[in-house]
Amino acid sequence: MDTKKRVVIIGAGTAGLCAAKHSIAAGMDVTVFEQMSQPGGTWVYSEDIGKDKYGLQVHTSMYRGLRTNLPKEIMGYPDFPIPGEGVSYIPAEEMLAFLQSYAKSFGVNSHINFNHHVIRVRPVGQPDGPHTWEVMVKDLPSDEVHTYTFDFVFVCNGHYHTPFLARYPGQDDFKGRIQHSHDYRCPEPYKGQAVLVIGAGPSGMDIAYDISKCAVRVTLSHHLPEQPKTIFPNNVTQRPDPVRFTADGAIFKDGTSEQFDVILYCTGYRYTFPFLSVDCGISVEENFVQPLYKHCVNINYPTMGFAGLPFYVCACQMIDLQVRFCVKLWSGGVPMPSQKEMMADTQREMEERFQKRGYKKRHAHMMGPDQGKYYADLAECAGLVPLKPVITKLHNESSQKFLDDLTNFRNEVYKIIDDETFVQVK
Ligand SMILES: Cc1cc2nc3c(=O)[nH]c(=O)nc-3n(C[C@H](O)[C@H](O)[C@H](O)COP(=O)(O)OP(=O)(O)OC[C@H]3O[C@@H](n4cnc5c(N)ncnc54)[C@H](O)[C@@H]3O)c2cc1C
């Protein structure tokens, strides 16, 4: 960059750390604001639920004893793999230690202002002309609010922190406890109880299994097109979606009903950016964040990037690519497309998703089988080193194993042989 451009990064999790690393490398003046007292984002486990000591919602959704649901061989960054051999599905503490060693290795920590909560981000100037970003931040321990000015913004606040709570008829009649997986920490409080877990995404499947170690019985209710092949313990039953709650339980689509002490929503999370003023031109409708170019550039103000929005991905790998993509555009390494071009590109992709494939709005940023194509597109458009094809291949294999054999798949061990090939060594 010709002059030292100022970039602000909101959040110091997987995405924020990576954004900081590449922005430092590009010669930018980097400031990170992180509301917690350490880096690592959702991997920072806390026993607390509800509000923290500053009155903010507890950010983490991590639960005790969590092991990753992807092998560590594909969970590192392209230039900073997770070290070690013998175990592929590592404990959350190891993932946190890895992220913290990444921050240390690339000199990111000295750029992070911990215990700083970003309250508001607002553009000053014209979208297609010169503009800056005004960022209002609260220093939590001192309770002071300061305002800063930056040239670029990386939004890296994560999207597994604000529960999505579906509403069911009769919900207010239910006399037991209703919770969301965001507040799930360990199975012991469910000892002797009958628990309904709603949703069979990664959290629902994992938590149903975890709770079954203490609960008297667990019902996993979902609308997966096929029953997962996993053999759950005997005290776990699967049912279709609930149609209504009653005072002491729920009635399901198949007409059956059961009594429960606790209903645990594993119904996912909402994308929220409470600090973005309306002038930023970003809206969220049923988890479709728009208008974004290639899921990571604000089309209304292309000096604002988002890292980490797509899901069913190899997070560190994809985030690294998205960050390199934004930095390349911002530094003039490749020309920034016009707003018209960006909008047309996004419309093409969303038409394909919604009209041709029948995706719902909430699937706007879902990758899964599309991830390889997305990674290749980002790399090609900005002339970046692409991700290795083996990463996507191993992701597909591991995701299938998760569904097929939840209770055992974490014992498997993988080794990457070359850019195309992995082997299962155990
Ligand atoms: C229970 C659980 C298990 C998971 N398991 C896996 C797994 O096995 N493998 C995998 O690849 N992925 C897993 N994930 C997904 C994981 O969240 C992502 O891989 C990745 O860590 C997300 O990183 P992030 O930086 O986008 O968000 P986060 O890690 O959430 O970090 C966001 C950061 O922004 C900060 N922040 C937010 N708002 C503000 C603000 N206003 N001001 C200042 N700071 C702010 C937060 O404090 C936080 O530190 C899991 C997620 C959960 C919830």
Side-chain angles (χ1 to χ4, degrees):
M1 300 220 167
D2 303 338
T3 48
K4 210 156 177 155
K5 294 288 188 187
R6 298 155 300 177
V7 60
V8 62
I9 295 161
I10 303 164
T14 302
L17 296 175
C18 182
K21 181 237 166 180
H22 284 290
S23 302
I24 296 167
M28 297 169 103
D29 182 0
V30 177
T31 303
V32 185
F33 292 117
E34 168 52 57
Q35 64 194 14
M36 295 197 287
S37 57
Q38 56 176 310
T42 205
W43 297 97
V44 177
Y45 175 78
S46 167
E47 296 278 338
D48 296 340
I49 55 170
K51 300 264 169 80
D52 68 12
K53 63 177 175 179
Y54 297 115
L56 297 177
Q57 289 297 333
V58 168
H59 182 85
T60 188
S61 304
M62 242 344 98
Y63 39 93
R64 209 179 64 201
L66 180 135
R67 282 171 71 191
T68 58
N69 55 29
L70 292 175
K72 74 169 186 343
E73 286 70 22
I74 56 170
M75 280 192 58
Y77 296 97
D79 57 354
F80 198 82
I82 301 179
E85 279 185 18
V87 176
S88 279
Y89 294 89
I90 57 176
E93 303 85 65
E94 218 173 293
M95 188 61 200
L96 177 62
F98 163 74
L99 291 172
Q100 298 191 341
S101 93
Y102 176 79
K104 205 166 158 209
S105 298
F106 293 106
V108 170
N109 286 333
S110 59
H111 294 264
I112 308 177
N113 297 280
F114 291 108
N115 299 309
H116 277 67
H117 174 63
V118 174
I119 299 172
R120 195 186 67 184
V121 176
R122 159 176 110 80
V124 179
Q126 293 308 310
D128 45 2
H131 64 263
T132 53
W133 293 99
E134 184 192 84
V135 178
M136 198 182 273
V137 186
K138 189 190 238 185
D139 175 344
L140 295 168
S142 72
D143 212 26
E144 284 172 12
V145 174
H146 299 282
T147 303
Y148 305 87
T149 301
F150 297 94
D151 301 298
F152 297 98
V153 184
F154 261 125
V155 178
C156 302
N157 65 322
H159 55 90
Y160 294 107
H161 47 77
T162 302
F164 171 74
L165 288 167
R167 274 203 72 80
Y168 293 94
Q171 190 164 311
D172 298 332
D173 302 336
F174 182 66
K175 299 275 186 297
R177 198 153 41 105
I178 295 187
Q179 275 190 303
H180 186 273
S181 57
H182 174 60
D183 293 330
Y184 178 76
R185 293 294 182 264
C186 56
E188 287 78 11
Y190 305 87
K191 197 168 167 42
Q193 302 202 315
V195 184
L196 168 61
V197 173
I198 303 179
S203 294
M205 297 265 287
D206 248 351
I207 290 176
Y209 177 56
D210 205 35
I211 291 189
S212 72
K213 294 171 195 159
C214 288
V216 64
R217 64 185 161 80
V218 177
T219 298
L220 176 62
S221 138
H222 63 79
H223 49 254
L224 293 178
E226 285 174 36
Q227 293 267 324
K229 292 198 193 103
T230 284
I231 301 165
F232 281 101
N234 286 337
N235 61 343
V236 179
T237 317
Q238 296 185 52
R239 294 250 181 261
D241 290 336
V243 283
R244 67 174 296 118
F245 295 170
T246 57
D248 60 358
I251 302 169
F252 300 95
K253 260 190 178 156
D254 60 0
T256 58
S257 59
E258 278 184 84
Q259 293 187 331
F260 297 106
D261 302 297
V262 184
I263 295 178
L264 182 60
Y265 281 83
C266 294
T267 41
Y269 293 86
R270 290 195 298 118
Y271 288 70
T272 57
F273 310 99
F275 44 83
L276 294 186
S277 76
V278 284
D279 319 354
C280 297
I282 290 292
S283 67
V284 186
E285 230 181 295
E286 293 169 43
N287 273 359
F288 179 17
V289 185
Q290 49 184 322
L292 292 181
Y293 176 53
K294 303 214 182 282
H295 304 267
C296 64
V297 175
N298 177 351
I299 297 179
N300 283 323
Y301 282 94
T303 53
M304 173 178 277
F306 290 74
L309 295 196
F311 58 100
Y312 296 156
V313 293
C314 302
C316 288
Q317 300 271 334
M318 175 201 71
I319 285 167
D320 190 271
L321 194 53
Q322 289 182 317
V323 166
R324 285 188 283 135
F325 181 81
C326 291
V327 170
K328 189 92 180 253
L329 291 182
W330 293 347
S331 63
V334 285
M336 178 73 77
S338 68
Q339 289 192 344
K340 212 170 147 199
E341 287 166 332
M342 290 194 271
M343 204 58 104
D345 184 85
T346 302
Q347 269 166 1
R348 247 190 327 269
E349 185 190 349
M350 291 307 161
E351 263 168 37
E352 154 91 22
R353 281 174 175 257
F354 300 142
Q355 266 102 55
K356 292 211 185 118
R357 294 204 240 159
Y359 281 16
K360 304 229 164 66
K361 276 211 177 98
R362 64 189 154 87
H363 298 134
H365 305 294
M366 181 175 82
M367 289 301 159
D370 291 334
Q371 63 180 312
K373 201 169 141 219
Y374 175 56
Y375 303 153
D377 184 37
L378 278 180
E380 198 187 315
C381 285
L384 302 168
V385 177
L387 298 185
K388 297 172 179 167
V390 67
I391 299 292
T392 313
K393 288 183 187 170
L394 184 45
H395 186 275
N396 292 341
E397 158 104 358
S398 164
S399 307
Q400 194 55 48
K401 292 270 177 81
F402 179 91
L403 290 173
D404 292 349
D405 195 8
L406 176 73
T407 47
N408 297 306
F409 86 108
R410 287 186 172 91
N411 298 329
E412 294 175 351
V413 181
Y414 293 99
K415 197 177 165 94
I416 288 185
I417 303 294
D418 58 36
D419 291 1
E420 295 281 346
T421 328
F422 67 86
V423 287
Q424 187 179 331
V425 292
K426 195 176 141 205

